Amino acid sequence: MTGKERILKTIKLQKTDRIPWVPFVGCHGGKLINVSAEEYLKSATNIYEGVTKAIELYSPDGIPVIFDLQVEAEALGCKLVWAEDNPPAMVSHILANEKTLADLKVPSENDGRIPVIMEAARRLRKKHPDIALYGLVTGPFTLALHLLGTDIFIKMMESPDEIIQLLNFTKNVTKSMSGYYIDAGCDVIAVVDPMTSQIDPGSFEAFVTGPATEIFSFIRKKGVPGSFFVCGHAEQNIEAMCGCDPDNVSIDENISLDFVKQIALKNNISFGGNIKLTVVLLMGTPDDAHREALECMDQGGDKGFILAPGCDLPMNTPPENIIAITELVNDKYLQDVVRARERSESDLDLLNMKDYGNAGKVIVDIITLDSESCAPCQYMVEAVKNIAPHFEGIVEWREHAIKKMEAVTFMNSLMVKNIPTICIDGKIAFVSRIPPKNELVAAIQKRINEKLKLIITSRNAEVLIIGKSEKDCSQAMENISLAIKETGKNIKVRIATDEDTKLSYGITSTPAIILTEHKIKSQGEVPKAEIIREWLKEL
């Protein structure tokens, strides 16, 4: 059975000899032939050679021509910025301040980089007839966001008819791109729409269902299957995605494979995913890749499941990790060995986040896959970046791209489970959802107000030591002074030895320590400095 046959049978929920395997090789193909992402994605020859090299190394059943969700927007006039080791990122939205929808026309096969990609597809089709060739097209909602920017979320509420009109246009772009790929010989069309993870099922039904259903109907009439591919925390929309009548749904590590399997098979739809990209494929070992792939295979089962990474492979993914998955997929004995081997859990040293966020500034942390290569991550970073000037000198923001192990440690230390996520002073604030400007501003302002209140309370803070005499209070004073020095707080310490003060607080034994809010913290003993230090943090 060829890889192409295996993929097409699996998509039809038919029995095959094994689970099919599709590595989503995008600019990683450039790494395999030692060219930059820009050189790779602008050259038909480089794409052809990079994909061919990936086929030689990874023996896939299916593989995409490219993985670049900026192609259509670029052809429509949006400007890109290029990187050495990532797909390009969007830096302008043509409908935001340059043109109107009436000015735009569906790109032809000769616009932008489209002819380069289609030439590569035709050459790959001729060279590799037994591989299922995937044509990846940008989904209508993600393309609409590329064209308009994040204002789309406000206009969905304020001007829904305008957004429906925009999605009707992007639907036609997606259909045209699908047709170009099919004419070039592609066997599967994957409609990649990651930004749908940012909307609720009601908005999905109102804006996406109609266009997406028409796209999959168009693809099917062309004689090829269509896959609905999302990344991000899109669990809430899986049922709605299946309602668009695709032949396959594909997801990333943010969504449970068991959950998708249940819904997809209930709707007689195949499904794919969701090998972890960064902590396993990019930063892990071949053994990690074995275990992760086997876990996905055991969850997915042998009906309608296609093993794949959750998204585009990072460019610098070690080839040996991808080769390890190929070995596992094709070797049942190795599967039994890995399954029997005791899985060693990695001991990730978590950071002590107890006092994180106590600095004078409000710290906004954005945990991403990488804003240069992940569209939802890019727009979440932009949301924070755009409001930061409103809080100049008060707010500091940082991106933590989990392509680096220190960022993975930071993510786990904050107990973040999904990406992208915004944390404010160490507290999770927005999970896999790009917040509207007013919500983000309000959340940051709330934290600023909390800090101001803490600062005011701290400035007025007082510790009262009650004793029979100054000597009776001396050890307590020494320990409190040490604790104040260690916490860095501005706290007044006062000693009272008169009987009236003692009686007013109901003190029965001395020395006694009382905080500003008049909570008695100790009587009859002198606590250690480290204990007092923890009390002072309450002030």
Side-chain angles (χ1 to χ4, degrees), residues 312-326:
D312 180 18
L313 287 173
M315 188 167 185
N316 293 315
T317 301
E320 56 267 26
N321 290 349
I322 313 301
I323 292 170
I325 296 175
T326 297

Side-chain angles (χ1 to χ4, degrees), residues 179-200:
Y180 302 153
Y181 270 118
I182 293 168
D183 292 343
C186 288
D187 305 291
V188 181
I189 299 299
V191 179
V192 189
D193 215 343
M195 298 311 299
T196 58
S197 65
Q198 303 298 306
I199 58 178
D200 60 84

Side-chain angles (χ1 to χ4, degrees), residues 359-380:
K361 292 183 178 181
V362 171
I363 306 300
V364 179
D365 294 296
I366 315 145
I367 294 87
T368 69
L369 174 63
D370 187 341
S371 62
E372 292 184 353
S373 60
C374 165
C377 300
Q378 177 190 346
Y379 287 118
M380 187 169 272

Side-chain angles (χ1 to χ4, degrees), residues 58 73-74 170 205 208 239 264 296 312 334 400 464 493 503 510 518:
Y58 307 145
E74 180 189 28
T170 56
E205 294 276 359
V208 179
E239 192 79 59
C296 290
D312 180 18
L334 179 59
H400 304 267
L464 175 62
V493 183
L503 292 174
T510 59
H518 300 158

Side-chain angles (χ1 to χ4, degrees), residues 373-441:
S373 60
C374 165
C377 300
Q378 177 190 346
Y379 287 118
M380 187 169 272
V381 169
E382 283 184 5
V384 174
K385 186 177 180 180
N386 289 339
I387 64 94
H390 295 281
F391 301 100
E392 188 173 357
I394 304 174
V395 171
E396 183 176 323
W397 68 272
R398 308 158 181 164
E399 179 185 359
H400 304 267
I402 64 167
K403 287 184 176 181
K404 296 181 179 178
M405 186 53 74
E406 56 264 31
V408 176
T409 302
F410 185 80
M411 178 182 79
N412 283 287
S413 300
L414 287 181
M415 306 301 288
V416 171
K417 302 298 182 185
N418 301 104
I419 53 176
T421 288
I422 293 175
C423 297
I424 300 176
D425 270 349
K427 305 295 182 184
I428 295 172
F430 300 98
V431 179
S432 291
R433 181 174 73 88
I434 299 168
K437 180 179 178 180
N438 60 330
E439 283 189 37
L440 184 56
V441 169

Side-chain angles (χ1 to χ4, degrees), residues 186-363:
C186 288
D187 305 291
V188 181
I189 299 299
V191 179
V192 189
D193 215 343
M195 298 311 299
T196 58
S197 65
Q198 303 298 306
I199 58 178
D200 60 84
S203 297
F204 190 103
E205 294 276 359
F207 296 102
V208 179
T209 295
T213 302
E214 187 175 327
I215 290 167
F216 289 114
S217 176
F218 170 84
I219 293 168
R220 188 173 293 111
K221 286 177 181 177
K222 285 278 191 176
V224 301
S227 173
F228 207 156
F229 192 168
V230 296
C231 57
H233 194 61
E235 186 172 293
Q236 74 279 8
N237 291 327
I238 298 298
E239 192 79 59
M241 287 169 60
C242 290
C244 297
D245 202 22
D247 299 286
N248 172 271
V249 292
S250 291
I251 48 92
D252 75 1
E253 64 202 71
N254 281 284
I255 308 176
S256 164
L257 201 55
D258 287 332
F259 176 82
V260 174
K261 175 182 178 180
Q262 179 183 357
I263 295 178
L265 293 182
K266 180 185 71 175
N267 287 277
N268 293 315
I269 294 172
S270 66
F271 61 104
N274 62 344
I275 301 170
K276 293 182 177 68
L277 283 176
T278 53
V279 294
V280 172
L281 295 183
L282 179 63
M283 294 182 289
T285 65
D287 281 345
D288 295 328
H290 281 157
R291 289 192 293 264
E292 173 68 14
L294 186 61
E295 183 175 341
C296 290
M297 291 167 68
D298 286 345
Q299 288 182 8
D302 59 3
K303 181 181 179 180
F305 174 61
I306 297 173
L307 179 67
C311 198
D312 180 18
L313 287 173
M315 188 167 185
N316 293 315
T317 301
E320 56 267 26
N321 290 349
I322 313 301
I323 292 170
I325 296 175
T326 297
E327 294 171 345
L328 184 85
V329 167
N330 288 283
D331 189 339
K332 290 188 178 296
Y333 174 74
L334 179 59
Q335 294 171 24
D336 291 338
V337 170
V338 174
R339 194 176 283 113
R341 189 188 305 153
E342 182 179 356
R343 180 168 183 171
S344 59
E345 297 292 337
S346 60
D347 296 323
L348 197 63
D349 293 329
L350 299 183
L351 304 173
N352 184 356
M353 308 300 285
K354 185 176 180 181
D355 295 323
Y356 191 79
N358 286 340
K361 292 183 178 181
V362 171
I363 306 300

